[in-house]
Amino acid sequence: MVKRVAIIGAGVSGLASIRCCLEEGLEPTCFERSNDVGGLWKFSDHAEEGRASIYPAVFTNSSKEMMCFPDFPYPEDYPNFMHHSKLQEYIRAFAQANGLLRYIQFETLVSSVKKCPSFSVTGQWEVVLEKNGKQESTIFDAVMVCSGHHVYPNLPHDSFPGLNQFQGHVLHSRDYKGPEAFKGKRVLVIGLGNSGCDIAVELSRLATQVVISTRSGSWVMSRVWDDGYPWDMVYVTRFANFLRNALPSFLSDWLHVKKMNTWFKHENYGLMPLNGTLRKEPVFNDELPSRILCGALSIRAGVTEFMETSAVFEDGTRFEAIDAVIFAIGYTHAYPFLDDSIIKNKNDEVTLFKGIFSPVMEKPTLAVIGLIQSLGASIPTVDQQARWATKVFTGSCTLPTIKEMMDDIDKKMRKKLKWFGQTQTLQTDYITYMDELGSFIGAKPNIPWLFLTDPRLALQLYFGPCSPYQFRLVGPGRWDGARKAILTQWDRALKPIRTRAVSEAHRPQPFYNLLKMLLFPLLLLSVLLTFY
């Protein structure tokens, strides 16, 4: 029987896993190589080996009501989109409030995780630890890998001929710690992701010239969405998700492109994705179009070749006299302490059932938490993953057969390739995924029933933001404050921005907006019938 659980990493995934282990009566021990919790959000002024690294100007792309632990809302005066230091405060507060720190061994490196010789019977793992220059080995009944996937930078030198002869400074975005060193320089940023755009926008205020090179383009979204509300509180709803999945592809694709182009026409800025109908994760940057309009930076095609001081682009143009090249092209999914075959067992791709369990392992005693991407926030996602994983450990939930798991993986992969493209295989549909895991543990809200018993709540659940509180509303681990949190989420969202109250606060009315949408075609039809 599973009892002792090793948890690798004390970021949000690790903290969620500790808490869920305790809820299930397990004995967690978490190993963290740094001296604090937070993982990705623990800022350091230099990149540390084996740890995620962020730059000083990082703000969250998910709003506070959509990225909290489901039973631990942010203080109402916290800004909707937080500086990394504010989020780190929250993470520490969560760890302290739940008494999690006593289960963490800081400054301890996990160097190896291997199956015990008796694994096929016991499911146990041998975990080798390093601390203060000494190694020790410990046996655990289960392992939860929570070390993240923003650690090992992707630097494909083979994809950029001539890079070795380039005489300027070359670095990855994980090593970027501010614009000062680039004052008066000519800088090429390769990659149109969130990091690349953030860095380019910041550099454009001090550098002489900044160019972003992109091969495929990207949709760019503002954090400020319809009527000034946080984008995800308007966009990530069950009703919107239903429309995206239920409408015919041609109509769903047309609506997607139209919505993405509402803020500005991407083709005019050189940002238009090669395949605009794919639901690849967009870039969130409120300043990029403005900096392009002001001539502070420009967008160019992909790089085909580097010279000693210049780069040649796919369209034949050049960027001359380059002082520095910053690669912002993501990370590799590496766990150096673990045999690759456990995570990748098909065509060298991540092959995990629901992104968590290997489908071919004799005993389901190793779970990967957080190796997934979606338009939803990571904190509620990893909380849901950890809840299910620990229930699998205890036997409260069971996995399907190997064939059923492989069939599910193949089916999901085909859908991912259709929706997100070849390069986005970690991407998933947030609400569908959360509901799947919720149904496994009995935490998926029964919305049709709530329309009969609690229509006010049901309207918020279906037409309002799909906030994390929904997944602690019912079932094991339910939170008594979930209903109130859902009904007051707009109050907390508006609180920090209504510092000068000029009238009564306006809140979205999604149900009435839906009625207006439905009434318009009926009105049009009645007019046509009247005259014809």
Side-chain angles (χ1 to χ4, degrees), residues 148-302:
H149 55 93
H150 294 96
V151 177
Y152 300 99
N154 181 27
L155 275 172
H157 286 75
D158 295 343
S159 301
F160 297 93
L163 183 59
N164 292 333
Q165 68 178 351
F166 177 68
Q167 296 179 353
H169 185 39
V170 177
L171 69 155
H172 191 273
S173 57
R174 82 181 300 268
D175 296 307
Y176 174 84
K177 293 296 176 179
E180 293 77 13
F182 301 91
K183 184 176 182 179
K185 307 290 186 182
R186 292 166 61 84
V187 184
L188 173 63
V189 178
I190 297 181
L192 191 66
N194 287 307
S195 295
C197 289
D198 282 352
I199 290 169
V201 165
E202 186 173 53
L203 286 175
S204 70
R205 296 184 178 89
L206 287 180
T208 297
Q209 188 172 358
V210 179
V211 169
I212 298 177
S213 167
T214 174
R215 288 177 176 170
S216 58
S218 178
W219 296 118
V220 178
M221 285 173 57
S222 171
R223 294 178 178 89
V224 185
W225 206 239
D226 296 347
D227 298 322
Y229 297 115
W231 75 270
D232 47 359
M233 293 187 75
V234 178
Y235 190 79
V236 184
T237 73
R238 290 182 178 277
F239 175 65
N241 193 64
F242 165 76
L243 290 181
R244 284 190 286 271
N245 286 283
L247 290 174
S249 295
F250 76 92
L251 183 55
S252 178
D253 292 345
W254 179 80
L255 288 172
H256 176 69
V257 172
K258 183 175 177 60
K259 191 63 178 176
M260 290 296 104
N261 256 332
T262 300
W263 186 22
F264 66 94
K265 301 300 180 186
H266 284 64
E267 54 268 37
N268 293 343
Y269 288 71
L271 293 166
M272 186 74 179
L274 291 180
N275 188 343
T277 62
L278 291 178
R279 270 54 166 186
K280 294 169 67 173
E281 183 179 1
V283 170
F284 292 94
N285 197 293
D286 301 294
E287 299 180 74
L288 182 64
S290 173
R291 301 308 291 168
I292 295 173
L293 272 179
C294 294
L297 64 83
S298 58
I299 308 296
R300 305 288 281 275

Side-chain angles (χ1 to χ4, degrees), residues 346 351 353-354 359 400-415:
K346 187 176 180 182
T351 312
F353 181 60
K354 303 306 178 187
T401 65
I402 292 176
K403 183 181 185 307
E404 288 171 332
M405 287 191 284
M406 292 303 298
D407 287 347
D408 182 82
I409 290 170
D410 290 340
K411 178 182 176 182
K412 293 293 194 299
M413 185 59 69
R414 287 193 296 270
K415 184 175 180 180

Side-chain angles (χ1 to χ4, degrees), residues 66 68 70-71 236 238 380-381 383-384 387 430-439 441-445 461 465-479 482 486:
M66 302 295 281
C68 62
D71 55 353
V236 184
R238 290 182 178 277
T381 304
D383 183 73
Q384 194 86 319
R387 291 170 73 188
Y430 174 69
I431 296 176
T432 302
Y433 181 70
M434 293 290 281
D435 276 348
E436 280 184 331
L437 298 186
S439 65
I441 61 178
K444 179 184 175 181
L461 290 181
C466 187
S467 49
Y469 318 117
Q470 295 196 16
F471 302 101
R472 289 271 181 173
L473 189 64
V474 296
R478 69 181 296 272
W479 176 43
I486 293 167

Side-chain angles (χ1 to χ4, degrees), residues 239 451 455-456 458-460 462-464 508-519:
F239 175 65
F451 268 111
R456 182 185 175 205
L459 286 171
Q460 282 297 319
Y462 193 69
F463 295 106
Q509 301 292 333
F511 181 65
Y512 296 109
N513 291 340
L514 172 64
L515 288 179
K516 285 190 287 185
M517 281 174 52
L518 295 175
L519 285 172

